[in-house]
Amino acid sequence: MKRTASAAWTGGLKDGKGSISTQSGILKDTRYGFTTRFENEPGTNPEELIAAAHAGCFTMALSAQLGEVGMTAESLRTSAEVTLDKVDDGFAITAIHLNLTAKIPGADPKAFQAAADRAKEGCPVSKLLNAKITMDAKLEA
């Protein structure tokens, strides 16, 4: 399976403007630029898209892991926080923190945590990223 996305850019780094589109069309000429990345202008940025991809991938992987141990979630809610830091040679994504809240009636807390850990390590986006990935996983009553 292959998926595609594209970006277009005109101008310099700080005064330039860009757009991002995805194969599915869910993003079509979506605005991004210096101000959407490093300030708070409306639009998107690569780090936000990586956070969304990681949250989605992890949550789906967790659903699979839970199914393998006989659990079905009533709800799984994950947010991902991407850290972009200045490093010696420019900028790097140095960390991603996943914050999960799960509602699983009758869940065994140890089995839940083990499934969450397997999903964190095994989802394809986690495997792709060269950053420290941490997680808080909370099981609701």
Side-chain angles (χ1 to χ4, degrees), residues 49-71:
L49 296 171
I50 290 167
H54 201 192
C57 182
F58 163 78
T59 306
M60 198 172 199
L62 177 56
S63 180
Q65 290 295 324
L66 291 171
E68 288 184 15
V69 294
M71 288 189 268

Side-chain angles (χ1 to χ4, degrees), residues 58-140:
F58 163 78
T59 306
M60 198 172 199
L62 177 56
S63 180
Q65 290 295 324
L66 291 171
E68 288 184 15
V69 294
M71 288 189 268
T72 302
E74 186 176 303
S75 68
L76 300 172
R77 295 181 312 279
T78 306
S79 63
E81 180 181 62
V82 171
T83 301
L84 179 69
D85 283 325
K86 179 94 171 92
V87 295
D88 293 338
D89 59 346
F91 286 88
I93 292 173
T94 56
I96 299 177
H97 181 76
L98 299 171
N99 195 350
L100 164 68
T101 301
K103 188 169 186 181
I104 309 167
D108 174 279
K110 286 184 182 179
F112 161 74
Q113 187 63 55
D117 289 339
R118 285 192 304 274
K120 178 178 73 80
E121 297 302 320
C123 97
V125 174
S126 289
K127 292 177 180 180
L128 169 73
L129 299 170
N130 185 23
K132 179 181 178 186
I133 302 169
T134 59
M135 174 183 65
D136 288 327
K138 180 174 70 175
L139 185 60
E140 290 182 334

